[in-house]
Amino acid sequence: MTTLPSPHDAIADSAKLIAILERHHKDAPELEALLNAHRATHLQMATSYHTSEEAIAAWRAALARRWTCEIAARRLYKQTLRQIVQHYGTAETPTVRLISRGGAEADSTPAELLDDMRRLHAVLSLEATTLPFAEQRLAEIVQACETLEHAINDVAECERRRRTAVLDLRIAREVYRRMRRETCQTLMNELGDQAPPDLADEFLVETTDQ
């Protein structure tokens, strides 16, 4: 299995390797192309790292917002269902049966919760003339559904961006890993005994990828 350095290690090591190339490229002009390639790769890694960090932070914030919306929607669902049960005096009324999924809604996913809320709205609309609290609850449910749907979509989009950013960073690190190995070999061939002693691949150890 191919292992990669952590982003911090790769970026720091890249800077060190660029410094080595800058010290020696005038004595070995053939290193000029390698120096330019490493500068471009270093910039790509640094840019990808910052982009991935921002994407991860945005995804986590979106998850937190969705969780807040879920809590509010579940609370509203339970309160409204309780009001309906109290109004009819029993949970066995057809109205409640149309709304409830037999308690399964307690463990619903965000998307399932949104469906539960929409079903509650539909049934409540049909019973609006007989339920004195229907008008207020209907307005609250509409707002809760809109907010939850937006939060769900926001998480999905942030997740897509996070995956793309993390993949881009991994690709940049893989490009650097391969370039480093080839560059170290070239430096040792060109410089011989003058090659810096820190060109080994010790930093290429297994790490936990983001």
Side-chain angles (χ1 to χ4, degrees), residues 177-198:
R177 186 188 69 83
R178 295 181 180 181
M179 283 182 60
R180 185 188 194 280
R181 182 164 294 153
E182 295 172 2
T183 300
C184 288
Q185 186 61 54
T186 299
L187 281 169
M188 287 187 286
N189 292 341
E190 293 291 336
L191 303 179
D193 294 340
Q194 297 181 355
D198 56 351

Short mmCIF file of all heavy atoms in Angstrom, two decimals, residues 177-198:
data_model
loop_
_atom_site.label_atom_id
_atom_site.label_comp_id
_atom_site.label_asym_id
_atom_site.label_seq_id
_atom_site.Cartn_x
_atom_site.Cartn_y
_atom_site.Cartn_z
N ARG A 177 5.51 13.12 -3.61
CA ARG A 177 6.22 11.92 -3.16
C ARG A 177 7.06 11.33 -4.29
O ARG A 177 8.22 10.95 -4.10
CB ARG A 177 5.21 10.88 -2.65
CG ARG A 177 5.83 9.64 -2.02
CD ARG A 177 4.77 8.59 -1.73
NE ARG A 177 4.24 8.01 -2.94
CZ ARG A 177 4.83 7.01 -3.61
NH1 ARG A 177 5.96 6.49 -3.17
NH2 ARG A 177 4.28 6.52 -4.71
N ARG A 178 6.45 11.26 -5.47
CA ARG A 178 7.18 10.69 -6.61
C ARG A 178 8.29 11.62 -7.07
O ARG A 178 9.40 11.17 -7.39
CB ARG A 178 6.19 10.42 -7.75
CG ARG A 178 5.17 9.35 -7.41
CD ARG A 178 4.23 9.09 -8.57
NE ARG A 178 3.24 8.07 -8.24
CZ ARG A 178 2.31 7.64 -9.07
NH1 ARG A 178 2.24 8.14 -10.31
NH2 ARG A 178 1.46 6.71 -8.70
N MET A 179 8.00 12.92 -7.13
CA MET A 179 9.01 13.88 -7.54
C MET A 179 10.20 13.87 -6.59
O MET A 179 11.35 13.98 -7.01
CB MET A 179 8.41 15.29 -7.61
CG MET A 179 7.55 15.57 -8.82
SD MET A 179 6.95 17.28 -8.80
CE MET A 179 8.50 18.19 -8.82
N ARG A 180 9.91 13.78 -5.31
CA ARG A 180 10.97 13.82 -4.31
C ARG A 180 11.95 12.66 -4.51
O ARG A 180 13.17 12.85 -4.46
CB ARG A 180 10.39 13.76 -2.89
CG ARG A 180 11.45 13.92 -1.81
CD ARG A 180 10.88 13.66 -0.43
NE ARG A 180 11.78 14.13 0.61
CZ ARG A 180 12.85 13.47 1.04
NH1 ARG A 180 13.15 12.29 0.50
NH2 ARG A 180 13.61 13.97 2.00
N ARG A 181 11.41 11.48 -4.72
CA ARG A 181 12.26 10.31 -4.89
C ARG A 181 13.17 10.48 -6.11
O ARG A 181 14.38 10.22 -6.04
CB ARG A 181 11.39 9.07 -5.03
CG ARG A 181 12.16 7.76 -5.16
CD ARG A 181 11.26 6.58 -4.90
NE ARG A 181 10.81 6.58 -3.52
CZ ARG A 181 9.66 6.04 -3.11
NH1 ARG A 181 8.85 5.49 -3.98
NH2 ARG A 181 9.34 6.06 -1.83
N GLU A 182 12.59 10.93 -7.20
CA GLU A 182 13.37 11.13 -8.42
C GLU A 182 14.39 12.25 -8.24
O GLU A 182 15.54 12.15 -8.71
CB GLU A 182 12.44 11.45 -9.59
CG GLU A 182 11.50 10.30 -9.95
CD GLU A 182 10.45 10.69 -10.97
OE1 GLU A 182 10.49 11.87 -11.41
OE2 GLU A 182 9.60 9.86 -11.32
N THR A 183 13.98 13.32 -7.55
CA THR A 183 14.87 14.45 -7.35
C THR A 183 16.04 14.08 -6.45
O THR A 183 17.18 14.48 -6.70
CB THR A 183 14.10 15.64 -6.74
OG1 THR A 183 13.05 16.02 -7.64
CG2 THR A 183 15.02 16.83 -6.52
N CYS A 184 15.76 13.34 -5.39
CA CYS A 184 16.83 12.93 -4.49
C CYS A 184 17.85 12.08 -5.22
O CYS A 184 19.07 12.23 -5.03
CB CYS A 184 16.25 12.16 -3.30
SG CYS A 184 15.35 13.20 -2.13
N GLN A 185 17.38 11.19 -6.08
CA GLN A 185 18.30 10.36 -6.84
C GLN A 185 19.13 11.21 -7.79
O GLN A 185 20.36 11.02 -7.93
CB GLN A 185 17.52 9.30 -7.63
CG GLN A 185 18.39 8.29 -8.35
CD GLN A 185 19.25 7.49 -7.38
OE1 GLN A 185 18.75 6.90 -6.43
NE2 GLN A 185 20.58 7.48 -7.60
N THR A 186 18.49 12.18 -8.43
CA THR A 186 19.22 13.08 -9.34
C THR A 186 20.26 13.89 -8.60
O THR A 186 21.40 14.06 -9.07
CB THR A 186 18.22 14.03 -10.04
OG1 THR A 186 17.30 13.27 -10.80
CG2 THR A 186 18.95 14.99 -10.96
N LEU A 187 19.91 14.41 -7.43
CA LEU A 187 20.85 15.21 -6.64
C LEU A 187 22.06 14.36 -6.21
O LEU A 187 23.21 14.83 -6.27
CB LEU A 187 20.15 15.77 -5.41
CG LEU A 187 19.28 17.01 -5.64
CD1 LEU A 187 18.45 17.31 -4.39
CD2 LEU A 187 20.15 18.22 -6.00
N MET A 188 21.80 13.16 -5.78
CA MET A 188 22.91 12.30 -5.37
C MET A 188 23.81 11.96 -6.55
O MET A 188 25.03 11.88 -6.41
CB MET A 188 22.37 11.04 -4.70
CG MET A 188 21.79 11.31 -3.30
SD MET A 188 21.31 9.83 -2.38
CE MET A 188 19.80 9.38 -3.25
N ASN A 189 23.20 11.76 -7.72
CA ASN A 189 23.99 11.48 -8.92
C ASN A 189 24.81 12.69 -9.34
O ASN A 189 25.97 12.56 -9.76
CB ASN A 189 23.08 11.05 -10.07
CG ASN A 189 22.44 9.70 -9.82
OD1 ASN A 189 22.90 8.91 -9.00
ND2 ASN A 189 21.35 9.43 -10.54
N GLU A 190 24.21 13.87 -9.26
CA GLU A 190 24.87 15.09 -9.71
C GLU A 190 25.92 15.58 -8.71
O GLU A 190 26.99 16.05 -9.10
CB GLU A 190 23.84 16.20 -9.94
CG GLU A 190 22.90 15.95 -11.11
CD GLU A 190 23.61 16.03 -12.45
OE1 GLU A 190 24.67 16.68 -12.54
OE2 GLU A 190 23.14 15.40 -13.41
N LEU A 191 25.60 15.50 -7.44
CA LEU A 191 26.46 16.10 -6.42
C LEU A 191 27.42 15.12 -5.78
O LEU A 191 28.41 15.53 -5.16
CB LEU A 191 25.60 16.77 -5.34
CG LEU A 191 24.62 17.84 -5.85
CD1 LEU A 191 23.81 18.39 -4.68
CD2 LEU A 191 25.35 18.95 -6.58
N GLY A 192 27.13 13.84 -5.87
CA GLY A 192 28.02 12.84 -5.29
C GLY A 192 28.20 13.03 -3.80
O GLY A 192 27.24 13.12 -3.04
N ASP A 193 29.46 13.15 -3.38
CA ASP A 193 29.75 13.30 -1.95
C ASP A 193 29.26 14.63 -1.39
O ASP A 193 29.14 14.79 -0.17
CB ASP A 193 31.26 13.19 -1.72
CG ASP A 193 31.79 11.80 -2.02
OD1 ASP A 193 30.97 10.86 -2.02
OD2 ASP A 193 33.01 11.66 -2.26
N GLN A 194 28.98 15.60 -2.28
CA GLN A 194 28.50 16.90 -1.82
C GLN A 194 26.99 16.90 -1.55
O GLN A 194 26.44 17.89 -1.08
CB GLN A 194 28.81 17.98 -2.86
CG GLN A 194 30.30 18.19 -3.08
CD GLN A 194 30.57 19.29 -4.09
OE1 GLN A 194 29.65 19.84 -4.69
NE2 GLN A 194 31.85 19.62 -4.30
N ALA A 195 26.33 15.80 -1.86
CA ALA A 195 24.89 15.73 -1.65
C ALA A 195 24.57 15.84 -0.16
O ALA A 195 25.24 15.22 0.67
CB ALA A 195 24.34 14.42 -2.20
N PRO A 196 23.56 16.62 0.20
CA PRO A 196 23.18 16.75 1.61
C PRO A 196 22.80 15.39 2.19
O PRO A 196 22.25 14.54 1.49
CB PRO A 196 21.97 17.69 1.57
CG PRO A 196 22.13 18.45 0.29
CD PRO A 196 22.75 17.48 -0.67
N PRO A 197 23.10 15.16 3.46
CA PRO A 197 22.82 13.86 4.06
C PRO A 197 21.34 13.62 4.35
O PRO A 197 20.96 12.52 4.72
CB PRO A 197 23.63 13.91 5.37
CG PRO A 197 23.67 15.37 5.71
CD PRO A 197 23.78 16.08 4.39
N ASP A 198 20.49 14.66 4.21
CA ASP A 198 19.08 14.52 4.57
C ASP A 198 18.19 14.27 3.37
O ASP A 198 17.06 14.72 3.32
CB ASP A 198 18.59 15.75 5.34
CG ASP A 198 18.81 17.04 4.56
OD1 ASP A 198 19.51 16.98 3.52
OD2 ASP A 198 18.29 18.08 4.98
#
